[in-house]
Amino acid sequence: MLKKRDILIDTDPGVDDAIALMLAVRSNFFNIQAITTVAGNTSIENTTRNARYVLDLLDANHIPIYSGSTEPLIGKLHTAEFVHGTYGLGSLQPKNEIQLTHDAVDQMIRIIKAHPHPITVVTLGPLTNLAKAIQQDASILGNIEEVVIMGGAIEEAGNMTRAAEFNIYVDPEAAAIVLKADVRKTLVTLDACNHVELPLSHFDEIKDANLRENAKKMVEDYIKNTLELESESGAKAYDPLTIYYLINPAACTVKEYDVLVETKGEHTRGMTIADRRKVPDKNNVIRVVMHIEADLFKQDLMKYLNQEEIK
Ligand code: BDR
Ligand code: CA
């Protein structure tokens, strides 16, 4: 029997975050200790309600949800409803109650410190909550096995600005704190995600009718919006790919770079700058996922959502 990995997921659902939660829960690979929410793709009210909505769909209400930061460390929040829809889940309008607890940072610290062995922290949104947790109590780093971050772009262009990927752009100061933290860090970048697209028809393969219909309602508008913005014709799977890295690291190409976050540049704020020189700095070496096998991911995603055995 496979030993499940203990994880904590920090997220801003968001359509692809929602699919990532489906994959994390249905794959049975993880003991999800908690979900913490952050403002990013949309407001904290929406991201927290959406997280609950998705867990309801998955019959996974035993997983606690703690709401966190309403805005980045500095400046005002930039959201992405133009991609994820008015409420953050495409054309869905979740009506479940919004239950804000405002304690994600404290709960993160509590859970990490109380855990009997080092735990993995996965971030699928801006890094505000984790940065605050590190600022409040850096000793948590000693009980973290790995921080896996969806964010950044190394050779690819940005997706929020020409230089910056969305999660890093929304809170570059927080990203800089996390990327400098003394802990094993893995960045799942746009380089690893941009070539992977899920056409709407792919979701027809989900056997659970309720999950299928909900997933399609989320993804349909998300695809339309990315088509207008980026001329892409399938759903981008940034956050599910980040979960997939943990499930199947063998499908991923990982390089090591010293990475800095630009926090000041007029045109480059939020850019992740890897030292790709022949003789690079090695002060802050981070593991960077540069490629993930698209066909394998697509196949496995559906198998896991359908809880089929993977050979
Ligand atoms: C990231 O930005 C968000 O819009 C997505 O949910 C993902 O986490 C991709 O740049
Ligand atoms: Ca996200």
Side-chain angles (χ1 to χ4, degrees):
M1 174 68 190
L2 174 95
K3 191 173 169 318
K4 290 189 185 183
R5 189 155 171 176
D6 293 342
I7 62 170
L8 203 157
I9 303 179
D10 189 70
T11 178
D12 63 337
V15 174
D16 62 323
D17 300 76
I19 310 292
L21 292 178
M22 292 175 195
L23 175 61
V25 171
R26 284 276 163 108
S27 67
N28 256 327
F29 263 79
F30 308 104
N31 279 319
I32 305 173
Q33 304 295 307
I35 287 174
T36 51
T37 57
V38 62
N41 284 323
T42 179
S43 67
I44 194 70
E45 287 78 12
N46 285 339
T47 61
T48 307
R49 181 173 48 200
N50 293 346
R52 172 62 61 206
Y53 185 86
V54 175
L55 289 195
D56 277 346
L57 268 182
L58 296 164
D59 283 327
N61 268 322
H62 58 282
I63 302 172
I65 298 174
Y66 304 111
S67 73
S69 308
T70 56
E71 52 189 20
L73 295 183
I74 295 176
K76 73 173 191 32
L77 176 68
H78 295 272
T79 58
E81 285 97 359
F82 55 96
V83 180
H84 295 269
T86 314
Y87 303 96
L89 292 183
S91 67
L92 279 180
Q93 270 191 48
K95 293 277 192 291
N96 51 310
E97 204 191 325
I98 299 172
Q99 293 172 306
L100 298 184
T101 63
H102 304 287
D103 60 351
V105 175
D106 291 341
Q107 294 289 356
M108 236 179 201
I109 295 173
R110 180 187 63 76
I111 292 167
I112 294 169
K113 287 180 86 164
H115 211 66
H117 53 82
I119 183 175
T120 295
V121 179
V122 184
T123 67
L124 306 176
L127 288 142
T128 322
N129 288 337
L130 183 56
K132 283 184 187 169
I134 295 169
Q135 278 180 328
Q136 258 178 56
D137 189 345
S139 76
I140 58 171
L141 297 173
N143 209 28
I144 296 180
E145 183 179 1
E146 182 174 6
V147 178
V148 180
I149 301 156
M150 192 288 125
I154 304 300
E155 293 171 15
E156 288 281 307
N159 61 355
M160 183 63 181
T161 66
R162 58 187 81 181
E165 179 280 328
F166 179 81
N167 289 339
I168 308 292
Y169 178 82
V170 173
D171 198 341
E173 281 74 19
I177 290 169
V178 174
L179 290 197
K180 274 189 218 137
D182 184 15
V183 68
R184 177 180 161 105
K185 296 162 291 249
T186 304
L187 209 54
V188 181
T189 58
L190 295 185
D191 306 76
C193 301
N194 275 353
H195 67 295
V196 185
E197 283 178 15
L198 302 169
L200 188 60
S201 58
H202 201 61
F203 293 86
D204 286 328
E205 291 175 30
I206 302 177
K207 291 189 179 140
D208 171 338
N210 190 33
L211 191 64
R212 179 175 67 241
E213 290 321 310
N214 272 279
K216 288 182 72 178
K217 277 192 195 145
M218 293 178 196
V219 163
E220 194 169 5
D221 278 13
Y222 178 63
I223 292 177
K224 273 191 209 141
N225 296 338
T226 28
L227 180 63
E228 277 170 29
L229 290 162
E230 299 181 26
S231 315
E232 307 282 11
S233 56
K236 287 298 188 70
Y238 312 104
D239 296 341
L241 283 161
T242 304
I243 298 293
Y244 189 63
Y245 153 75
L246 284 164
I247 295 175
N248 189 7
C252 305
T253 309
V254 179
K255 289 192 181 171
E256 296 200 334
Y257 289 119
D258 183 303
V259 181
L260 293 173
V261 180
E262 172 62 63
T263 54
K264 300 209 166 46
E266 185 186 351
H267 301 293
T268 52
R269 186 166 153 81
M271 184 174 185
T272 39
I273 307 170
D275 196 343
R276 296 191 285 138
R277 292 175 295 184
K278 278 207 177 115
V279 186
D281 286 344
K282 288 194 175 148
N283 305 318
N284 186 34
V285 173
I286 291 171
R287 297 158 39 78
V288 181
V289 181
M290 296 295 289
H291 187 79
I292 299 180
E293 284 180 45
D295 290 343
L296 201 55
F297 162 73
K298 287 185 188 171
Q299 220 180 63
D300 286 354
L301 174 68
M302 286 306 143
K303 283 191 183 162
Y304 285 123
L305 293 187
N306 290 326
Q307 300 191 296
E308 286 163 5
E309 213 178 303
I310 307 266
K311 290 180 191 86

